[in-house]
Amino acid sequence: MVKSDYSIGILQYIPFFYVIWSDDLLSASEISVVKKTIEQDSALEPDEKEQLSLWLDRENPPADEELKHWKHTITNSNVKLIESDTYPLASLSQRLGNLYCDSCDFNDHLKHIEINLGIQPNHYNHLFDVEVIHHKTSDFYNAKVLDAILKGPHAKAVDEFRGFLNQPIFHWDVRRNKEDFRGKVLEQVQLLGTNGYGAMAYDSEYGGIGNMPAYGAIFEHLMFVDGSLAVKFGVQFGLFGGSIQKLGTKKHHDQYLANTGKAKLLGCFAMTETGHGSNVRGIKTTATYHKKSDSIIIHTPGQNDNKEYIGNALHSTMASVFAQLIVDGKNEGVHAILVPVRDKNHTVLEGITIEDNGYKLGLNGVDNGKIWFNQVKVPRENLLDKYGEIRDDGSYFSAIKNPNKRFFTMLGTLVGGRICVAKGAVGGAKMALSIAVKHALNRRQFNDSVKVQEDLIMDYPTHQLRLTPAIASAYVYHVTLEEMMKRYSDNSQPDKRKIETQVAGLKSIITWFANDTIQECREACGGKGYLLENRIANLKGDVDIFTTFEGDNNVLLQLAAKGVLSDFKAEFNSAGFTSVLKLLRSQLADKLSTINPIYSNKVDKEHLYNPKFHKHAFNYRTRRLTYTLAMRIRSYIKKGIPSYQAFLKVQTHLLALGKAYSVELAYTIFNEFCASVTDEKHKVLLEKLGTLYALHHIYNDTGWYLEQGYISGTKSKAIRQRVERLSTELRPHIEVLVDGFGIPEHCMTAPIAK
Amino acid sequence: MVKSDYSIGILQYIPFFYVIWSDDLLSASEISVVKKTIEQDSALEPDEKEQLSLWLDRENPPADEELKHWKHTITNSNVKLIESDTYPLASLSQRLGNLYCDSCDFNDHLKHIEINLGIQPNHYNHLFDVEVIHHKTSDFYNAKVLDAILKGPHAKAVDEFRGFLNQPIFHWDVRRNKEDFRGKVLEQVQLLGTNGYGAMAYDSEYGGIGNMPAYGAIFEHLMFVDGSLAVKFGVQFGLFGGSIQKLGTKKHHDQYLANTGKAKLLGCFAMTETGHGSNVRGIKTTATYHKKSDSIIIHTPGQNDNKEYIGNALHSTMASVFAQLIVDGKNEGVHAILVPVRDKNHTVLEGITIEDNGYKLGLNGVDNGKIWFNQVKVPRENLLDKYGEIRDDGSYFSAIKNPNKRFFTMLGTLVGGRICVAKGAVGGAKMALSIAVKHALNRRQFNDSVKVQEDLIMDYPTHQLRLTPAIASAYVYHVTLEEMMKRYSDNSQPDKRKIETQVAGLKSIITWFANDTIQECREACGGKGYLLENRIANLKGDVDIFTTFEGDNNVLLQLAAKGVLSDFKAEFNSAGFTSVLKLLRSQLADKLSTINPIYSNKVDKEHLYNPKFHKHAFNYRTRRLTYTLAMRIRSYIKKGIPSYQAFLKVQTHLLALGKAYSVELAYTIFNEFCASVTDEKHKVLLEKLGTLYALHHIYNDTGWYLEQGYISGTKSKAIRQRVERLSTELRPHIEVLVDGFGIPEHCMTAPIAK
């Protein structure tokens, strides 16, 4: 037995106090956890309690000399710190105590502090000069449980599909020549089709199981194989097949859908034109009904009115062509028509010109092309006529009288594709994050001369900060998109307009998130991330265009923002608008009443981690942006500025609202989802991810919140510190978190991820 | 003559007042410009002056009905707005007046308002329902003048070089196969070498002109041809040749430099190892002096200690190898040794293994490889011995006794390469911006149903905001790097440590800027930006790695921040440190004294556009971050935390300081440069770009400035509005601005930029 300057009671608390004070990060509520524990610790003498309490005064912290003395006490003990202990710090304290005392009981209260304060070895192991038994990762949580939570109802379909992907044909390789690459991807698509995966969203009579959400889940998995495969698969079964399924009627289904699902009939989705990317309503291709021959003439009027970037254009025998339908001299708006483009020998049909789009930044396994039509005649039946038909007497009929509404109804049925794009983007981000994390758990760089080994780069705070919030976001967005897919596929809710608005915004923020994340992962892997063999480079090139296709993000965000405005039935120029503004103002006033100096200065952990705070902050931002936007537009219109110009003037404001609305929506969905998780242990972990997501996003907009006086400077700093601390706190679990994404091992081919 | 509700005097002001009030954006100083003009307008009657003044009261703005009436007056006049008029709004006013008056004089005072307020047609043309004669661009400024300003003293060299690049061998094409691509780039490098461009930075006796800055200028131009060419050129002449020039002595120069400059001797720069990317001091390759044979043995000890990503590895016959020099059993630290790697038949020499790094995200025309050495013997003379030599008696000698200082002196001589990397990045950004701007001036999308044509996408406020601040930054960074190159090449200043710190920071922020900008340009061009033929995709892949090579940005920023700290001779743990902190505190107090509520609420244009405000804000941020950083580190050290660990804990703080310091430095250099420009007209334009750069960056950190109470919420909003408004104000000149980059037409091969 050795002698110590401190009594045994106090001694056991020393490691804790050293950790607490060397970082000076504890909030009032955390201090009170420690205080309470000390008060309830019956093993302590009254004077010990008093001494320990004195050391908990934030106004009057222990002197530096005291801290140094604590440190020497720990260092000189030669006690080891074992990261794999269930309570590493409490166990260190115990062993420290045992040095000075032969038969002391272990102070169980310390475990309570360790758990409640979320103190992790990587918070403090570097503070001690004792030997640290390092562990790259903790097994406190279980990746399989997380994976099961994320798979949700699709567990069976997903597990089967993961097994199916374990075939040589799906093995990833560098493919530079586009013809070879496209050939390979075509084979893969055909194999998937033959095995029923293409038709999953179709009804059983067409080879499917009528399960769009399960289709979405397997679609995401294709990103783990290859981006080109995912996109070509989506074009064939989702876009081409989807247009037949959603815009066509039984005659089309019976004739085409089964073969489409099997990839026996290859088709493309010819909507975008060179001159008209985002403005679908303005496309120039015409489909003119010719009564005499009872046929429709498809025509490209000008050189720049060709269809462009059409995926599957070089392999297809049929195209679903979007064109202005003209019946009896009247333009009935955009409709889709099935147009055969090649014969059985794969020769392009007369009147049709198809050109290869050539090499692209990514997705070179997808055959994108341009298509021109020169007076191409197809039978009347080829019109996909669910929402607008040409009757036997040659007249046009639609149950939806308003052409505007008809157009948006037709486009709205295709929203599933947009959800899939966002799902694919999340898949790409998950893959890049898994690779970057596994690399960072192997790679060492620089070191403390005292230590034998260089540090793992995953142990750098900057590295934790660049990867961990992104992992949290990937969880949040996965859950959000699953929910959107569920709502979209719910046939009891036929009006999909609200979902369309929501998906427009979510697709934008999620595809941007994926691009930023993949870029961050590339840089986090240094030169290794630049080599194609490590996969991140291809993900980067492939996911890049996700911000543009299926709707340019900037255009979609404006759509989302306008949806928010019209949710309030804001009819500009009318009396109704004023009452809407009044409503908004009173809602804001309610919210503002809570934003007193006490609220805007509240920096306590309890408060900052409380979902109520996050929801309030997100909701305040959305409402406030809506209100000020509506006010600005009204003011312009009152001055006589036309509505189109007024909207142009508030474009950046619209983008901000679109983003704010989407972030709030994602957080809300995730939060509700967490409440439904039954595994209590992993629920806590998911909630922590939600908190990180929320604080990270609030901090991203901290300038705005500060401008509004919603938070104070002190609170802004506290939020930043909490984001950093949560990222560090999750460090021991980071491998479990990425393993929870469930990416099959046979897809993780990157050498640096081994 | 027609009759109007307004007197002629007032009528001429109506278009101005409508423009001013429909946006409600004028600051007090701008209002006073208008007020003063009205007071001095002798053509106005006293009651007219009174009426006009009433309409200038910000507290009591004209009623909406009044505005509508103004608008109708303008609309009903059927007067055309001609954007190409020198004073379009004043000229519209004049023609409006002439409708109601046969022989009125034109009110010249209006021109004064138009110029002083920076009112541009694109601010207001959409406000009127009159016919607008549109112009894509203005010829008010001259691109050639801007180009001449940017070329500075290198005009002759650059112009000649631009002409030289107009040869079929430099024509850009898609090259997918790496062997073909590398062969092409090798040919290009050899042609450049043969024509003396490789040796430009070497002395005349070795075929050069001893002009590193001119070398930097032509290097940037290679980015317009192809990123792989620029990088391979830089490896051969800058890194390999540069190591001989800067680390070798006359014997090396005489033997190798002329042939290196002509690309007759191809070499590589073998520094980075698989296990050690950023930590050069920790490399494992050994160079052991063997006294008996008077030779040095180069050896790779472990499988992961090979040289990695070595450019030119597959074409080289010699390598400049960085290794731990061991003389007489003592490790003298990292030195460079010339090691032949292939014989005349291009066969790899015994003991050497070279492997291809394979395909990469970009730069596939550069042959990167891995190199292992197995006890490879080279003569003692091959040691590049400027800073450390092995004497004839076999002993080691260096004039720099401190091994640390020796290491940094050696690395410091290679800083020119880092400046070139940043210059290359700016070149890539310029190219992408030029393509995106030219595309945006051709592409139309959506429209106001009233108008015949859809809008040019360059006319969208969001599009202006995403491209214009980036153009301003490209100007600022071009000028900054020219200045750094000048300082670096100034032989009267032998101590390059300060420049090294500065370049470390600048390289980081500039390569990140370039990547962000190229990404923004890709998205701004939509699907067209995704096609390789339009060049942006390749720029993106090529420039991506610039954030990693020649020093990882995160590591470099920490280096820069530590440089800032040591500039204050901060010796931690010593008494000196306390006095430094005192000094910093008093400097901050000086600054803080100006930050009273009046200052932090000042939103006037005069103030926001004043370089004094920008400098003050940037300097405050740098100083404040330095002070708080030093305080945090001191506090950790006082508590007994080792310095290495303390720095780890403040890593994110270091990054923030490194960035802040670099932004301040760039702005300061650009500001001084503007003062030296003699062309008064274009000086104003450059100053405006500087203002946009400053406000854009201050707004990027608005959260921090608000946290500090340096600015108020109102001021933050005012800054954001100014960034948006400046971006719009520069719209008419945007094509001239990108043409001012001087990218030769034969390099602008992108079809969308035609």
Side-chain angles (χ1 to χ4, degrees), chain B residues 23-323:
Chain B
D23 246 338
D24 210 7
L25 254 183
L26 288 202
S27 68
S29 68
E30 290 166 297
I31 291 281
S32 77
V33 166
V34 183
K35 268 207 176 114
K36 221 170 170 177
T37 310
I38 291 168
E39 277 161 28
Q40 291 170 353
D41 187 345
S42 57
L44 290 174
E45 298 296 325
D47 61 326
E48 290 176 329
K49 287 188 185 181
E50 198 185 334
Q51 177 57 68
L52 290 171
S53 293
L54 277 176
W55 284 338
L56 281 177
D57 183 2
R58 273 155 57 91
E59 301 303 310
N60 201 359
D64 292 332
E65 284 313 307
E66 191 78 61
L67 262 91
K68 274 194 188 160
H69 191 59
W70 293 347
K71 194 191 169 199
H72 290 149
T73 305
I74 302 164
T75 304
N76 296 336
S77 71
N78 284 322
V79 166
K80 284 182 194 169
L81 173 68
I82 301 162
E83 285 192 354
S84 58
D85 278 339
T86 315
Y87 303 99
L89 193 59
S91 130
L92 176 99
S93 293
Q94 181 188 24
R95 277 176 282 120
L96 184 64
N98 284 342
L99 288 181
Y100 303 97
C101 163
D102 286 331
S103 58
C104 303
D105 284 339
F106 179 54
N107 185 348
D108 260 347
H109 288 81
L110 294 168
K111 293 183 186 170
H112 177 72
I113 302 181
E114 187 161 4
I115 285 300
N116 269 279
L117 264 52
I119 302 179
Q120 303 282 350
N122 58 316
H123 281 147
Y124 56 78
N125 61 28
H126 53 275
L127 299 176
F128 303 142
D129 281 342
V130 299
E131 188 184 336
V132 179
I133 314 283
H134 277 294
H135 288 265
K136 283 204 316 190
T137 185
S138 147
D139 58 2
F140 185 77
Y141 294 110
N142 186 340
K144 284 199 164 49
V145 176
L146 291 173
D147 183 31
I149 293 172
L150 293 187
K151 283 184 292 193
H154 319 308
K156 193 166 158 279
V158 165
D159 287 339
E160 268 177 28
F161 192 63
R162 285 179 185 167
F164 183 78
L165 292 179
N166 195 3
Q167 303 186 45
I169 191 177
F170 294 116
H171 281 184
W172 187 86
D173 209 347
V174 173
R175 294 185 181 94
R176 296 293 289 178
N177 176 284
K178 64 180 159 62
E179 281 69 28
D180 300 346
F181 194 176
R182 290 167 178 182
K184 181 78 188 181
V185 174
L186 178 60
E187 269 181 60
Q188 293 170 331
V189 167
Q190 285 167 330
L191 182 68
L192 290 164
T194 310
N195 284 271
Y197 290 111
M200 277 172 80
Y202 310 156
D203 283 342
S204 56
E205 50 193 308
Y206 307 114
I209 54 168
N211 191 337
M212 180 75 182
Y215 168 87
I218 67 148
F219 175 82
E220 186 190 339
H221 276 73
L222 293 176
M223 287 299 296
F224 306 148
V225 178
D226 181 70
S228 291
L229 173 57
V231 170
K232 195 175 174 90
F233 182 92
V235 167
Q236 166 67 22
F237 305 115
L239 292 179
F240 174 68
S243 71
I244 297 173
Q245 183 196 16
K246 302 277 185 174
L247 303 178
T249 46
K250 191 160 187 307
K251 59 179 182 285
H252 304 111
H253 299 168
D254 290 347
Q255 197 173 348
Y256 303 112
L257 213 47
N259 277 339
T260 300
K262 287 183 195 131
K264 282 184 182 165
L265 171 64
L266 293 173
C268 58
F269 183 81
M271 181 187 267
T272 300
E273 295 178 358
T274 303
H276 292 81
S278 298
N279 184 5
V280 176
R281 247 192 305 185
I283 57 170
K284 301 283 189 217
T285 304
T286 52
T288 313
Y289 177 61
H290 189 240
K291 199 169 171 182
K292 211 165 159 186
S293 60
D294 197 22
S295 57
I296 299 170
I297 316 288
I298 311 294
H299 187 64
T300 307
Q303 189 59 25
N304 276 325
D305 301 329
N306 60 290
K307 298 296 175 183
E308 173 115 88
Y309 319 122
I310 307 305
N312 223 3
L314 278 83
H315 291 152
S316 291
T317 52
M318 185 169 269
S320 184
V321 178
F322 286 75

Side-chain angles (χ1 to χ4, degrees), chain A residues 186-253:
Chain A
L186 177 60
E187 269 181 60
Q188 294 171 331
V189 166
Q190 284 167 332
L191 182 67
L192 290 164
T194 311
N195 283 273
Y197 291 110
M200 277 172 80
Y202 310 156
D203 283 343
S204 56
E205 50 193 307
Y206 308 113
I209 54 168
N211 191 337
M212 179 76 182
Y215 169 87
I218 67 147
F219 175 82
E220 186 191 339
H221 277 72
L222 293 176
M223 286 300 294
F224 307 149
V225 177
D226 181 70
S228 291
L229 172 57
V231 170
K232 197 178 174 87
F233 181 91
V235 168
Q236 166 67 23
F237 305 114
L239 291 179
F240 174 68
S243 71
I244 297 173
Q245 184 194 15
K246 303 276 185 173
L247 303 179
T249 45
K250 192 160 187 305
K251 60 178 181 284
H252 304 110
H253 299 168

Side-chain angles (χ1 to χ4, degrees), chain A residues 258-501:
Chain A
N259 278 338
T260 299
K262 287 183 195 133
K264 281 185 183 167
L265 171 65
L266 292 174
C268 59
F269 183 80
M271 180 187 269
T272 300
E273 295 178 0
T274 304
H276 291 81
S278 298
N279 185 4
V280 176
R281 245 190 308 184
I283 56 170
K284 301 285 189 213
T285 304
T286 51
T288 313
Y289 177 61
H290 190 241
K291 200 170 171 181
K292 211 165 157 186
S293 60
D294 197 23
S295 58
I296 299 170
I297 316 287
I298 311 293
H299 188 64
T300 308
Q303 188 59 26
N304 277 324
D305 300 329
N306 60 290
K307 297 296 174 183
E308 172 114 272
Y309 319 124
I310 305 306
N312 224 2
L314 279 83
H315 291 152
S316 291
T317 52
M318 185 169 271
S320 183
V321 178
F322 286 77
Q324 305 287 350
L325 180 66
I326 296 160
V327 181
D328 209 9
K330 189 181 166 210
N331 187 341
E332 303 288 355
V334 175
H335 288 67
I337 301 103
L338 291 177
V339 182
V341 292
R342 286 189 178 85
D343 64 17
K344 280 180 184 169
N345 305 316
H346 208 66
T347 307
V348 175
L349 296 174
E350 217 191 305
I352 294 175
T353 309
I354 302 183
E355 265 182 25
D356 190 343
N357 258 136
Y359 280 102
K360 305 178 298 278
L361 173 53
L363 299 179
N364 279 302
V366 181
D367 48 319
N368 291 94
K370 313 185 201 190
I371 311 179
W372 288 260
F373 300 95
N374 184 10
Q375 311 286 0
V376 174
K377 194 187 277 192
V378 299
R380 171 164 63 102
E381 305 87 75
N382 284 24
L383 174 68
L384 294 172
D385 55 357
K386 180 159 181 191
Y387 297 103
E389 59 184 296
I390 301 172
R391 287 192 286 203
D392 291 341
D393 66 358
S395 65
Y396 177 82
F397 171 80
S398 171
I400 308 172
K401 298 299 168 206
N402 180 335
N404 228 347
K405 196 178 166 193
R406 192 190 309 140
F407 174 73
F408 283 112
T409 305
M410 286 166 71
L411 282 198
T413 61
L414 304 169
V415 162
R418 235 167 236 169
I419 304 179
C420 281
V421 166
K423 279 189 84 70
V426 174
K430 285 176 181 171
M431 181 92 173
L433 284 166
S434 301
I435 296 166
V437 163
K438 284 171 189 294
H439 177 60
L441 289 172
N442 283 317
R443 172 91 172 160
R444 296 177 189 278
Q445 189 82 268
F446 293 102
N447 65 341
D448 185 350
S449 51
V450 183
K451 290 189 179 174
V452 182
Q453 278 193 308
E454 292 177 314
D455 285 321
L456 287 173
I457 55 176
M458 198 65 246
D459 288 320
Y460 293 146
T462 47
H463 220 77
Q464 290 154 9
L465 197 59
R466 69 205 292 197
L467 298 179
T468 319
I471 291 172
S473 299
Y475 272 86
V476 170
Y477 293 142
H478 175 102
V479 167
T480 304
L481 291 171
E482 279 295 311
E483 176 62 25
M484 293 314 296
M485 194 57 111
K486 204 173 104 194
R487 292 185 194 171
Y488 167 69
S489 311
D490 181 357
N491 289 326
S492 68
Q493 297 291 335
D495 186 358
K496 306 291 184 204
R497 265 178 306 176
K498 174 125 194 170
I499 292 172
E500 203 184 348
T501 297

Side-chain angles (χ1 to χ4, degrees), chain B residues 591-639:
Chain B
K591 290 200 173 296
L592 274 166
S593 67
T594 53
I595 314 168
N596 48 43
I598 296 172
Y599 182 87
S600 64
N601 277 301
K602 221 171 179 176
V603 296
D604 218 61
K605 182 183 168 187
E606 304 274 276
H607 170 67
L608 295 180
Y609 281 27
N610 194 332
K612 274 189 193 161
F613 163 58
H614 311 147
K615 281 185 202 166
H616 193 280
F618 288 140
N619 193 252
Y620 176 76
R621 181 161 155 83
T622 310
R623 293 300 163 105
R624 176 88 207 157
L625 285 172
T626 307
Y627 176 71
T628 48
L629 178 64
M631 289 292 284
R632 283 182 67 191
I633 293 172
R634 188 177 70 152
S635 153
Y636 283 130
I637 284 171
K638 273 190 162 179
K639 288 166 182 165

